[in-house]
Amino acid sequence: MKAHLPAIAVLIALASPIQALSAAADNGRPAAAAPAKPSVDDTALTTPVRISRWEDSGLKPQVAQEWASYGFKPQEAVDWLGASFAPVVARTWADKGFDPQEARNWLDSARSTTTLMADLDRSDPSEWKREGFTPADRLAWWEAGFGFEDALQLARSGMSPAEAAWHGHEKLKELRAKSAAKTEAQPAAAPALNPEAIWEIIAPHVKAAGLAALAFCAVLAAYLLRRRSQMHRKRSADRHKGPGAHHPARQEPGVAAPISEAPASAAPESVPPSQDTAANTTSVPDQAAQKRSGRPARRYALIRSANPHCIHCKSTNVRTSRIQPHKFAGINFTEYFRCKHCGKHFAIVSYTPILLVAGSIILTLTALTVGLLYAVSGK
């Protein structure tokens, strides 16, 4: 047996390379060959394609039109639809600053809990998000028995939901007591009237009243200027036609005084017979035309002059006429005069009383309206 041991060892040594070659042949590659590195194309991730056309979104035309009516782009519509949101609900979440996946997480977290606080808390998820909470934080605070307001106070004081579950109510009482003490320490001052707040209430009405006053003044000025130009044209036409030509006009009620009288300085005996006949033939149609007209000439002025002059002959030798002017609410807008030089009557219409009365009415109505609105507002 001992004589065969060397031969067995030689056979084992010769058989071991043959097994290595057979193993390499079975694997289909050289034994010493290093494993091949994967190519770049095999490891590169495919870039998601952005949808820019509704035709490529895979939606029906009616559905695509509905999403577009809410202001969504094709890619946004596909993302919100993939998160199982209707267009109107997606628009609500998007306006609050949520993306589709984030909105779905907040919605699913609220549906997954069965705590009573989830039904009692009416806060919006955007409020939790604005203060830095996550859906998991909201669930933790709900399970601890606190809504948004209480959770925000406790979180700002440094408590976690687990700590608040044990000592949160005591901490809230302490925080509320401190807040009440700080409020009582401040001096109770009477609320001062804020001019800006008052102006915000009355500003629209004051502006409307101002515009109405300007419009009234503009219309009144346009009418008076038109009337003045008409009177100027009428007087100019009368001067060109001669002394005996007058346009007929309507008779004012209450005017009983004659339109013209012979001047006091003209005595009958001082006129020669030939001139007397000519004067009589001229004055007869002149007086008849003046009686037919019956309405004295008028002049419009902004301020009443202390020394009025005659419209016809420009003489300042005038006196107040016996014609009784019409008054409105005791206010006289027209003054009648008679010229001692030419014997004709004329009237002066003043703008000042008209403007004062109109301005007083507008200011009174504005003050009453503003006072009523201020009383009704309760401020």
Side-chain angles (χ1 to χ4, degrees):
M1 187 66 182
K2 293 181 179 180
H4 297 289
L5 289 177
I8 296 172
V10 172
L11 291 174
I12 293 174
L14 293 175
S16 58
I18 297 173
Q19 292 177 358
L21 287 173
S22 64
D26 294 338
N27 292 335
R29 64 178 183 275
K37 295 182 180 180
S39 62
V40 178
D41 295 337
D42 297 337
T43 58
L45 298 177
T46 59
T47 304
V49 179
R50 299 289 298 180
I51 301 174
S52 59
R53 299 171 67 248
W54 287 105
E55 292 81 356
D56 302 334
S57 63
L59 302 177
K60 294 182 179 180
Q62 294 81 2
V63 179
Q65 185 177 5
E66 184 180 4
W67 282 95
S69 65
Y70 284 96
F72 288 103
K73 296 180 180 179
Q75 184 63 48
E76 295 175 349
V78 171
D79 294 340
W80 283 103
L81 192 60
S84 303
F85 282 96
V88 60
V89 181
R91 183 76 270 166
T92 303
W93 284 93
D95 291 342
K96 294 177 181 178
F98 293 92
D99 57 40
Q101 189 59 41
E102 191 178 13
R104 175 51 59 187
N105 293 336
W106 281 94
L107 194 60
D108 292 342
S109 66
R111 292 176 178 176
S112 63
T113 183
T114 58
T115 58
L116 179 62
M117 187 54 64
D119 298 330
L120 297 178
D121 189 14
R122 298 299 180 184
S123 60
D124 195 84
S126 60
E127 298 177 357
W128 292 87
K129 180 184 176 182
R130 184 174 59 249
E131 298 297 335
F133 293 102
T134 62
D137 295 335
R138 185 177 67 167
L139 286 178
W141 284 107
W142 280 353
E143 292 175 357
F146 297 98
F148 171 72
E149 297 293 340
D150 297 340
L152 182 60
Q153 292 185 12
L154 293 174
R156 288 178 176 176
S157 65
M159 293 190 72
S160 63
E163 295 173 350
W166 291 94
H167 309 288
H169 294 285
E170 291 80 2
K171 186 67 175 179
L172 281 176
K173 291 180 181 179
E174 181 182 350
L175 294 174
R176 289 167 182 170
K178 289 182 180 179
S179 178
K182 186 183 295 185
T183 304
E184 292 177 358
Q186 295 177 355
L193 293 177
N194 189 4
E196 296 180 357
I198 298 175
W199 174 249
E200 288 180 359
I201 298 173
I202 66 175
H205 308 286
V206 172
K207 292 178 181 178
L211 292 176
L214 291 177
F216 176 80
C217 293
V219 172
L220 181 62
Y223 170 75
L224 294 177
L225 290 176
R226 180 175 176 274
R227 183 63 180 171
R228 183 177 182 180
S229 63
Q230 289 178 351
M231 296 300 298
H232 277 296
R233 287 196 299 268
K234 183 179 179 181
R235 287 198 297 270
S236 177
D238 291 343
R239 292 193 193 100
H240 289 299
K241 288 182 179 180
H246 293 278
H247 294 284
R250 60 186 180 88
Q251 178 76 19
E252 285 188 356
V255 179
I259 300 302
S260 63
E261 297 177 5
S265 59
E269 57 273 8
S270 62
V271 180
S274 60
Q275 295 182 2
D276 189 10
T277 306
N280 290 334
T281 56
T282 304
S283 62
V284 170
D286 188 11
Q287 293 179 1
Q290 290 178 356
K291 288 181 180 180
R292 284 196 303 270
S293 65
R295 183 175 183 179
R298 298 189 175 211
R299 182 171 65 87
Y300 294 87
L302 181 61
I303 301 175
R304 293 181 181 179
S305 176
N307 298 318
H309 62 272
C310 178
I311 299 176
H312 305 282
C313 64
K314 307 301 181 182
S315 174
T316 57
N317 187 15
V318 298
R319 65 172 178 83
T320 303
S321 176
R322 289 188 295 268
I323 300 176
Q324 298 297 327
H326 297 283
K327 295 183 179 181
F328 176 76
I331 303 173
N332 184 17
F333 297 101
T334 307
E335 285 192 62
Y336 291 92
F337 297 91
R338 182 178 180 275
C339 180
K340 296 181 179 179
H341 183 265
C342 64
K344 296 181 179 180
H345 290 263
F346 64 93
I348 298 178
V349 181
S350 177
Y351 297 161
T352 304
I354 299 175
L355 296 177
L356 291 178
V357 171
S360 301
I361 294 174
I362 293 174
L363 291 177
T364 303
L365 293 177
T366 304
L368 291 175
T369 305
V370 171
L372 180 61
L373 294 174
Y374 185 76
V376 171
S377 63
K379 296 183 179 181

